[in-house]
């Protein structure tokens, strides 16, 4: 079901329920007022009849019936009875309506009684007179009131049905008007293909939810476009980096196998192949690490870690591998509370990220001193790695975290441009940020 139809039905249903409740209350109030009004009229009728006939002691029974019949305030299907202290009907011999003794006794006890019998309404009063105490019971049918109630019910039903129909079609119109921006956005989105990610949908006035949806979608498109560009660059560079050693290895093997050679020549050929195979293995390892980080996004096994211990273990491991490396650690500004040093993360991945940054610092500074310091604030932990190397240009700073990207002044150094990309992904995976300050010829700080 389309949204506009669903909205129309829901809107119509809600209003119909509210309207039905209002109409029910109106009908209930008018019916209650009708009953109360008719009971009041019956009571007045009973009092009037009692006053007229009990005050006229000399009236005969026949005269009483004649006066009662011609009385101008007579109600529809009216029956009035007066009962003496012995529950005998007086002033009439008509037995078409006779109230039972329990009803008469209840009137004497409660002094007033009103109740309903089918369509008829009955009222009883206890009337005290100088000639005795009497019970007056009056009964009638409110034909005119019932007629008005039926007319009111039919009018309310007709109004309800007409209103519901009008509301449904009006709701469709307003729903279509309200959804028109979404339809427009949907049409614009359907025109966006993988080859046209630079397109953007109209963000409208920027003040309603649809504009917010368009803004978020455009933001998503920007991230997708960036991801596609990075992927394209990654595939191009990865293909080039992998193709070069593979081509060298295949070429060397083909040349070696083209004719029989001395054992020494085979050894020389294998010595030529080995560096290319090692290069190929190194590139493959980097690519596997990148894939592992992407895979670990949803399956990251994290624990609370003390960042100073991670840095110290990293220093010990680094000095073990490269004893001559001058790696200075500044951990003298540590907080008094040990909990301030705790971060939640994956130790192995954090060591890979920090290790890659430190490795680059040594490589591009030609093994000069590298400084690693730690700063702890109230709500953050910062690790700073500074070198005295070749630095980077502003243009290179915008691309250094892209896989396989290498700055213009870094191409003479060994490497494949994957380490920083891997480090940046790991830092972001841990909800951290990585910033770089660098100047050509004066070093860099991560």
């Amino acid at each position: 079901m389309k949204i506009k139809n669903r909205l129309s039905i829901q809107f119509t249903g809600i209003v119909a329920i509210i309207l039905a409740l209002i109409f029910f209350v109106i009908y209930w109030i008018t019916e209650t007022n009708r009953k109360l009004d008719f009971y009041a009229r019956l009571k007045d009728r009973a009092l009037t009849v009692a006053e007229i006939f009990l005050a006229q002691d000399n009236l005969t029974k026949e005269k009483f019936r004649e006066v009662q019949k011609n009385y101008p305030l007579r109600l529809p299907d009216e029956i009035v009875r007066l009962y003496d202290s012995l529950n005998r009907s007086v002033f009439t011999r008509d037995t078409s309506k006779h109230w039972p003794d329990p009803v008469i006794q209840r009137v004497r006890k409660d002094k007033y009684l009103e109740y309903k019998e089918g369509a008829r309404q009955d009222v009883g009063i206890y009337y005290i007179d100088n000639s005795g105490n009497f019970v007056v019971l009056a009964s009638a049918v409110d034909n005119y009131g019932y007629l008005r109630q039926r007319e009111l019910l039919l009018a309310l039903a007709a109004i309800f049905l007409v209103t519901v129909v009008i509301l449904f079609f009006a709701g469709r119109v307003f729903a279509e008007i309200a959804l028109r921006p979404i339809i427009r956005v949907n049409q614009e989105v359907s025109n966006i293909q993988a080859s046209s990610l630079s397109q953007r949908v109209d963000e409208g006035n920027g003040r309603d939810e649809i504009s917010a949806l368009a803004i978020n979608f455009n933001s998503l498109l920007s991230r997708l476009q960036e991801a596609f560009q990075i992927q394209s660059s990654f595939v191009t560079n990865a293909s080039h980096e992998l193709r070069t050693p593979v081509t060298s290895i295949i070429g060397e093997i083909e040349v070696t196998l083209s004719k029989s050679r001395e054992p020494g020549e085979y050894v020389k050929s294998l010595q030529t192949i080995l560096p290319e195979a090692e290069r190929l293995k190194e590139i493959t390892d980097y690519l596997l690490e990148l894939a592992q980080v992407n895979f670990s996004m949803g399956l990251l096994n994290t624990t609370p870690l003390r960042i100073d211990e991670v840095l110290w273990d990293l220093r010990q491991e680094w000095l073990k591998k490269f004893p001559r490396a001058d790696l200075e650690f500044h951990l003298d500004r540590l907080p008094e509370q040990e909990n301030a040093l705790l971060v939640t993360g994956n130790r192995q991945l954090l060591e890979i990220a920090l290790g890659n940054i430190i490795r680059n610092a040594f490589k591009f500074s030609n093994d000069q001193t590298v400084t690693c310091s730690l700063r702890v604030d109230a709500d953050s932990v910062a690790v700073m790695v500074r070198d005295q190397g070749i630095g980077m240009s502003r243009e290179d700073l915008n691309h250094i975290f892209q896989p396989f990207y290498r700055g213009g002044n870094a191409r003479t150094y060994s490497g494949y441009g994957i380490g920083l990309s891997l480090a940046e992904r790991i830092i972001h995976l841990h909800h951290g940020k990585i910033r770089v300050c660098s100047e050509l010829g004066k070093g860099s700080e991560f």
Side-chain angles (χ1 to χ4, degrees):
M1 182 183 291
K2 291 187 176 181
I3 294 179
K4 66 178 182 180
N5 292 334
R6 187 162 65 246
L7 288 176
S8 301
I9 292 173
Q10 291 173 348
F11 171 72
T12 304
I14 293 172
V15 176
I17 292 172
I18 295 173
L19 199 61
L21 290 174
I22 293 173
F23 284 178
F24 172 78
V25 171
I26 291 173
Y27 185 83
W28 177 78
I29 290 174
T30 54
E31 173 63 15
T32 302
N33 288 336
R34 181 201 65 76
K35 287 193 291 186
L36 293 176
D37 178 67
F38 199 67
Y39 279 131
R41 290 164 62 191
L42 274 174
K43 181 181 178 182
D44 291 341
R45 178 65 173 162
L47 285 171
T48 301
V49 170
E51 289 174 355
I52 290 175
F53 295 105
L54 291 177
Q56 305 278 340
D57 294 337
N58 57 349
L59 285 179
T60 65
K61 295 178 180 180
E62 289 76 12
K63 184 63 176 177
F64 173 80
R65 285 195 298 270
E66 183 180 349
V67 172
Q68 186 185 35
K69 182 178 179 180
N70 297 323
Y71 194 72
L73 295 178
R74 182 178 177 85
L75 298 175
D77 297 327
E78 178 188 281
I79 300 174
V80 179
R81 295 288 182 270
L82 284 82
Y83 295 92
D84 59 15
S85 59
L86 299 177
N87 293 351
R88 292 177 302 185
S89 177
V90 294
F91 296 110
T92 178
R93 295 176 182 174
D94 185 10
T95 58
S96 61
K97 174 67 176 178
H98 180 72
W99 277 270
D101 290 346
V103 175
I104 299 172
Q105 289 299 118
R106 186 175 174 186
V107 175
R108 281 200 180 92
K109 178 183 177 182
D110 298 338
K111 311 304 181 185
Y112 180 75
L113 177 65
E114 61 183 32
Y115 64 96
K116 198 169 182 295
E117 290 182 295
R120 302 186 71 87
Q121 291 178 237
D122 294 21
V123 166
I125 60 173
Y126 187 64
Y127 191 86
I128 301 175
D129 186 69
N130 56 7
S131 59
N133 297 331
F134 295 86
V135 171
V136 183
L137 285 159
S139 175
V141 179
D142 188 9
N143 293 326
Y144 179 67
Y146 285 134
L147 178 62
R148 285 189 306 170
Q149 286 300 104
R150 282 195 296 271
E151 291 175 349
L152 176 63
L153 182 61
L154 291 174
L156 291 177
I159 293 172
F160 178 79
L161 292 175
V162 172
T163 303
V164 167
V165 173
I166 293 174
L167 282 173
F168 176 75
F169 288 103
R172 278 176 58 91
V173 173
F174 283 110
E176 187 170 350
I177 294 173
L179 294 173
R180 194 170 294 161
I182 294 182
I183 296 173
R184 172 180 49 76
V185 170
N186 188 43
Q187 291 173 344
E188 293 177 358
V189 169
S190 65
N191 294 327
I192 298 176
Q193 307 295 329
S195 59
S196 58
L197 289 176
S198 59
Q199 283 186 242
R200 296 293 182 267
V201 299
D202 185 6
E203 296 178 356
N205 56 23
R207 293 191 296 269
D208 56 20
E209 291 80 358
I210 299 175
S211 295
L213 174 64
I215 291 171
N216 289 332
F217 186 79
N218 284 338
S219 176
L220 173 63
L221 282 179
S222 298
R223 294 193 295 270
L224 284 175
Q225 184 180 10
E226 181 181 356
F228 269 79
Q229 289 173 348
I230 292 174
Q231 183 187 35
S232 177
S233 173
F234 175 84
V235 171
T236 301
N237 291 315
S239 300
H240 172 73
E241 294 291 343
L242 290 171
R243 187 182 296 114
T244 301
V246 170
T247 302
S248 299
I249 291 172
I250 293 175
E252 184 65 27
I253 292 174
E254 287 178 344
V255 170
T256 303
L257 295 177
S258 61
K259 62 180 181 178
S260 298
R261 301 178 184 275
E262 296 296 327
E265 293 181 358
Y266 286 112
V267 172
K268 185 178 179 181
S269 177
L270 291 174
Q271 290 174 343
T272 303
I273 292 174
L274 181 60
E276 296 296 334
E278 290 176 343
R279 181 183 176 189
L280 183 62
K281 179 182 180 299
E282 189 175 357
I283 295 174
T284 303
D285 290 341
Y286 271 124
L287 291 177
L288 289 175
E289 286 180 347
L290 274 176
Q292 181 185 9
V293 171
N294 289 332
F295 178 72
S296 299
M297 289 292 184
L299 302 173
L300 185 62
N301 183 21
T302 59
T303 56
L305 305 169
R306 279 192 53 165
I307 192 66
D308 57 329
E309 293 180 355
V310 174
L311 292 174
W312 188 258
D313 291 345
L314 192 63
R315 179 180 185 274
Q316 296 298 106
E317 183 180 351
W318 189 265
L319 293 177
K320 188 184 298 183
K321 291 181 179 179
F322 307 99
R324 297 182 180 180
D326 189 5
L327 178 61
E328 294 184 0
F329 269 73
H330 294 235
L331 307 178
D332 50 348
R333 295 177 58 189
L334 297 181
E336 296 181 0
Q337 299 293 332
E338 293 185 1
N339 289 340
L341 292 165
L342 289 178
V343 296
T344 301
N346 182 288
R347 190 185 193 94
Q348 181 183 2
L349 291 181
L350 285 176
E351 288 180 352
I352 290 174
L354 294 171
N356 285 345
I357 295 173
I358 293 172
R359 184 183 296 107
N360 276 0
F362 275 112
K363 180 169 64 175
F364 294 114
S365 64
N366 298 312
D367 293 329
Q368 297 184 65
T369 301
V370 173
T371 303
C372 180
S373 56
L374 177 66
R375 186 183 69 219
V376 180
D377 296 327
D379 57 353
S380 66
V381 175
V383 177
M384 289 152 287
V385 178
R386 180 166 184 79
D387 64 56
Q388 306 173 42
I390 60 176
M392 290 172 279
S393 66
R394 288 187 178 181
E395 182 180 354
D396 289 336
L397 283 175
N398 295 326
H399 305 285
I400 58 172
F401 295 119
Q402 295 180 9
F404 292 105
Y405 181 84
R406 307 192 72 201
N409 60 345
R411 299 186 188 280
T412 56
Y413 293 83
S414 61
Y416 310 102
I418 300 178
L420 286 182
S421 174
L422 184 61
E424 191 255 355
R425 294 193 188 190
I426 292 174
I427 297 299
H428 281 190
L429 177 64
H430 287 77
H431 307 290
K433 296 179 181 178
I434 182 167
R435 292 195 299 268
V436 187
C437 298
S438 184
E439 188 175 349
L440 277 173
K442 296 185 178 180
S444 304
E445 183 181 64
F446 286 76

